[in-house]
Amino acid sequence: MSDLLLSRQEAGVLQLALNRPAARNALNTALLGELADAMERGDADPAVHCMVVHGHGDHFAAGADIDELAERTAANGPTDPRLGHWQRIQRIAKPWIAAVEGYCLGGGCELALCADLLVVAEDAALGQPEIRLGMIPGAGGLQRLALTLGKARTLHLVLTGERFSGRDAHAWGLASQSCENGQALNTALATATRLVEGAPLAQRLAKQAVLAMTEAPHQAGFALGRRSFELLLSSHDKAEGIAAFRERRTPTFRGE
Ligand code: DAK
């Protein structure tokens, strides 16, 4: 394992820290692949009861790596290796917690929303800013927001790219716990300790049953979102959005 992902295992809890602080822990393919590998190993390891994923440093993750996204097109979207990494993370059977401080944007927010339990620092800055890059969330964030928040608030967030705080995420039911800034990991670890005291089989089946009720009936919606994301990879607006991000200016979209 490289230093992209830091790992620590103690008393039944596997802690995994995203570690690209200079890029705000942006999830490049290598980091996402290492995360999926480590979570699968944790899933298979009898000594691991549950997992906690967090960002090393001040932030959770600022989304997919924009330099990599710049290279992707609609034609190579379906063979993007990140698709498989996301699917492996979504198939993890053991309960896992995301502990969020700081920026938690784009694919970072989607990763947090995949978690079974979500612990957020009050002033964490969450959001789906893909619209500013001429895109939409590609890893189920749009659908997971809609399942909890409903149509109006989801569309407000996804169409404007506006951020929301950890406080909001908790008040709206996206997060299972909120805590003081700087305490997300400790709070998540305290919750993980309580999970370790529980019955593993029953916990896994409870997770399966809730996902069967919430996400499983909506696979067509998840697939449509993924396909739409792939189509947008070849748009002029996506190229303009990424150029504007790099040049630190406001994008001029053409709807092409
Ligand atoms: N990717 C790459 N580098 C990033 C980055 C990112 N997402 N976010 C930040 N960085 C880099 C910056 O380029 C900068 O690099 P240097 O200039 O120092 O070399 C460094 O991190 C620090 O960033 P800033 O200078 O901008 O720092 P600030 O504190 O001022 O701002 C920020 C931090 C996080 C608010 C800002 O950097 C920002 O807005 N970042 C972009 C956030 C964003 O738009 N995220 C969405 C990306 S699109 C898929 C599934 C999902 C996805 C894709 C595929 N499949 C299933 C295939 C997801 C897509 C996305 O997430």
Side-chain angles (χ1 to χ4, degrees):
M1 189 182 286
S2 74
D3 61 0
L4 279 176
L5 186 74
L6 307 178
S7 152
R8 176 190 161 116
Q9 193 169 318
E10 200 177 329
V13 181
L14 176 62
Q15 289 178 50
L16 298 168
L18 311 170
N19 185 36
R20 291 186 76 209
R24 304 290 183 267
N25 294 331
L27 301 165
N28 63 9
T29 306
L31 173 54
L32 198 63
E34 286 198 17
L35 178 65
D37 289 348
M39 292 183 81
E40 283 188 331
R41 278 197 300 275
D43 225 18
D45 182 348
V48 172
H49 189 113
C50 62
M51 300 174 231
V52 173
V53 176
H54 65 105
H56 184 65
D58 297 334
H59 305 287
F60 185 72
D65 189 289
I66 291 176
D67 292 328
E68 286 187 348
L69 273 188
E71 305 304 318
R72 308 306 299 183
T73 64
N76 62 28
T79 55
D80 190 330
R82 288 171 305 168
L83 197 58
H85 299 329
W86 278 104
Q87 285 168 343
R88 291 193 291 138
I89 292 169
Q90 289 165 16
R91 281 199 296 265
I92 295 299
K94 290 180 182 171
W96 65 280
I97 307 174
V100 170
E101 302 273 353
Y103 292 123
C104 177
L105 303 173
C109 189
E110 297 187 281
L111 178 63
L113 294 172
C114 281
D116 302 312
L117 302 179
L118 173 53
V119 177
V120 284
E122 286 176 344
D123 292 328
L126 300 95
Q128 301 290 165
E130 289 88 344
I131 203 80
R132 294 179 195 165
L133 301 173
M135 291 189 292
I136 60 173
L142 194 153
Q143 294 77 6
R144 290 192 175 89
L145 285 176
L147 285 169
T148 303
L149 303 182
K151 171 181 155 184
R153 190 167 267 162
T154 299
L155 283 177
H156 179 87
L157 293 172
V158 172
L159 298 185
T160 64
E162 223 168 71
R163 294 180 195 156
F164 53 98
S165 66
R167 215 175 275 108
D168 288 337
H170 187 234
W172 297 345
L174 289 170
S176 48
Q177 284 172 282
S178 71
C179 60
E180 281 177 22
N181 298 329
Q183 290 305 311
L185 179 59
N186 286 339
T187 307
L189 289 174
T191 300
T193 304
R194 296 190 59 195
L195 294 187
V196 170
E197 292 161 4
L201 282 179
Q203 286 176 344
R204 258 178 263 179
L205 293 181
K207 166 174 173 167
Q208 242 176 47
V210 170
L211 291 180
M213 280 181 65
T214 52
E215 298 188 3
H218 300 285
Q219 286 314 304
F222 278 86
L224 180 61
R226 220 161 33 235
R227 190 72 197 113
S228 306
F229 168 84
E230 286 164 6
L231 285 175
L232 291 167
L233 285 171
S234 284
S235 69
H236 165 274
D237 287 350
K238 171 250 185 180
E240 165 62 7
I242 290 181
F245 172 76
R246 286 171 165 167
E247 293 159 22
R248 299 182 185 260
R249 63 171 170 81
T250 306
T252 306
F253 293 125
R254 300 204 306 235
E256 293 170 10

